[in-house]
C-alpha cells in the first residue's frame, strides 16, 4: 500500500508541476481566444487606448490584419476617442465597426466611437484615412479632423474613405464631421 501512496504522491507532485508550467501558456491562449472570439476582434485586445491622446493606429491595424489572416471578420471598436496618426486599411471580407448608430444634436465628437484623423493635412493626393478593400465595411463610427479649421478654404486632406477599384465596399452609419473630401468608392479602377 505504501508504494501506491508514494506513487500517488509522486504523480501528484509531477502533475502539479506540469499544471504550474502550463498555466502561463493557458493564460496566453485564453487571452488570444478572448481577443478573437469566433471571428470577432476587439481593438482594445490589441492595445488601443481610446483616450484621444495615445496613437491607436498600430492596435487598429493589428486587429484588422489578424482578421484578414483568418479570412475576414468583425473588428469591434468601443466608445472612445481613438487617435489615428497614420491611415488604416480595412482588408477584404472585414468589417471595422464602432458603436455609433446615428447623429445626435449634441457634439458628435464626444459620443460613441470617434476616430481622430490627423495625417495628410495639406496633401489631398496622399493616402486615404481609411482604405476599403473588396467586400470591406466601415460602420458605426464618427470621423473627426481635430486640426481642421472653420475657414474658407479649409485645410486640404486626402479622402476620408476610399475604395480604389474594389467591389462590395460598404460605408454605413458613419458620421464625417469636418472632412475635406469624404467618400470615394469609384473614381479609380
Amino acid at each position: 500500500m505504501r508504494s501506491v501512496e508514494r506513487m500517488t504522491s509522486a504523480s501528484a507532485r509531477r502533475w502539479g508541476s506540469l499544471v504550474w508550467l502550463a498555466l502561463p501558456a493557458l493564460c496566453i491562449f485564453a487571452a488570444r481566444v478572448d481577443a478573437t472570439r469566433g471571428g470577432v476582434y476587439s481593438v482594445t485586445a490589441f492595445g488601443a487606448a481610446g483616450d484621444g491622446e495615445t496613437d491607436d493606429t498600430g492596435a487598429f491595424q493589428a486587429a484588422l490584419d489578424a482578421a484578414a489572416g483568418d479570412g475576414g471578420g468583425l473588428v469591434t471598436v468601443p466608445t472612445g476617442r481613438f487617435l489615428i496618426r497614420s491611415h488604416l486599411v480595412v482588408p477584404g471580407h472585414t468589417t471595422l465597426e464602432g458603436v455609433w448608430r446615428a447623429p445626435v444634436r449634441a457634439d458628435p465628437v464626444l459620443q460613441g466611437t470617434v476616430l481622430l484623423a490627423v495625417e495628410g493635412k495639406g496633401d489631398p493626393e496622399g493616402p486615404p484615412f481609411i482604405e476599403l478593400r473588396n467586400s470591406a465595411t466601415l460602420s458605426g463610427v464618427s470621423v473627426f479632423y481635430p486640426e481642421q479649421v472653420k475657414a474658407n478654404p479649409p485645410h486640404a486632406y486626402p479622402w476620408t474613405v476610399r475604395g480604389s477599384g474594389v467591389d462590395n465596399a460598404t460605408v454605413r452609419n458613419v458620421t464625417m464631421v469636418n472632412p475635406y473630401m469624404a467618400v470615394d468608392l469609384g473614381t479609380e479602377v
Side-chain angles (χ1 to χ4, degrees):
M1 190 72 157
R2 275 184 176 240
S3 64
V4 171
E5 286 176 13
R6 274 192 209 145
M7 226 169 118
T8 304
S9 295
S11 295
R13 281 193 301 273
R14 231 177 301 130
W15 280 106
S17 297
L18 286 174
V19 168
W20 283 110
L21 290 173
L23 192 56
L26 184 60
C27 291
I28 291 168
F29 176 75
R32 175 70 178 149
V33 168
D34 184 51
T36 62
R37 296 180 332 258
V40 179
Y41 307 78
S42 171
V43 295
T44 56
F46 288 83
D51 60 8
E53 295 177 15
T54 305
D55 183 4
D56 291 320
T57 309
F60 270 66
Q61 198 59 60
L64 290 163
D65 292 345
D70 288 340
L74 173 65
V75 175
T76 62
V77 188
T79 298
R81 294 169 52 97
F82 297 88
L83 178 62
I84 308 296
R85 289 208 174 273
S86 184
H87 52 277
L88 301 172
V89 176
V90 181
H93 309 287
T94 303
T95 296
L96 178 62
E97 183 170 81
V99 298
W100 189 246
R101 294 294 174 253
V104 294
R105 287 176 130 5
D107 189 350
V109 299
L110 298 178
Q111 300 179 25
T113 302
V114 181
L115 306 182
L116 303 172
V118 296
E119 181 185 48
K121 182 167 69 173
D123 182 16
E125 300 303 317
F129 175 57
I130 298 175
E131 180 184 338
L132 299 177
R133 300 276 171 89
N134 280 324
S135 300
T137 300
L138 176 65
S139 178
V141 300
S142 288
V143 178
F144 179 68
Y145 289 83
E147 297 173 2
Q148 185 57 282
V149 295
K150 291 182 180 180
N152 192 6
H155 293 306
Y157 282 90
W159 288 99
T160 301
V161 178
R162 187 171 211 175
S164 301
V166 300
D167 290 323
N168 302 322
T170 303
V171 178
R172 71 171 178 242
N173 296 334
V174 173
T175 300
M176 295 176 204
V177 180
N178 57 349
Y180 182 72
M181 298 186 293
V183 179
D184 175 16
L185 297 178
T187 60
E188 288 191 11
V189 194

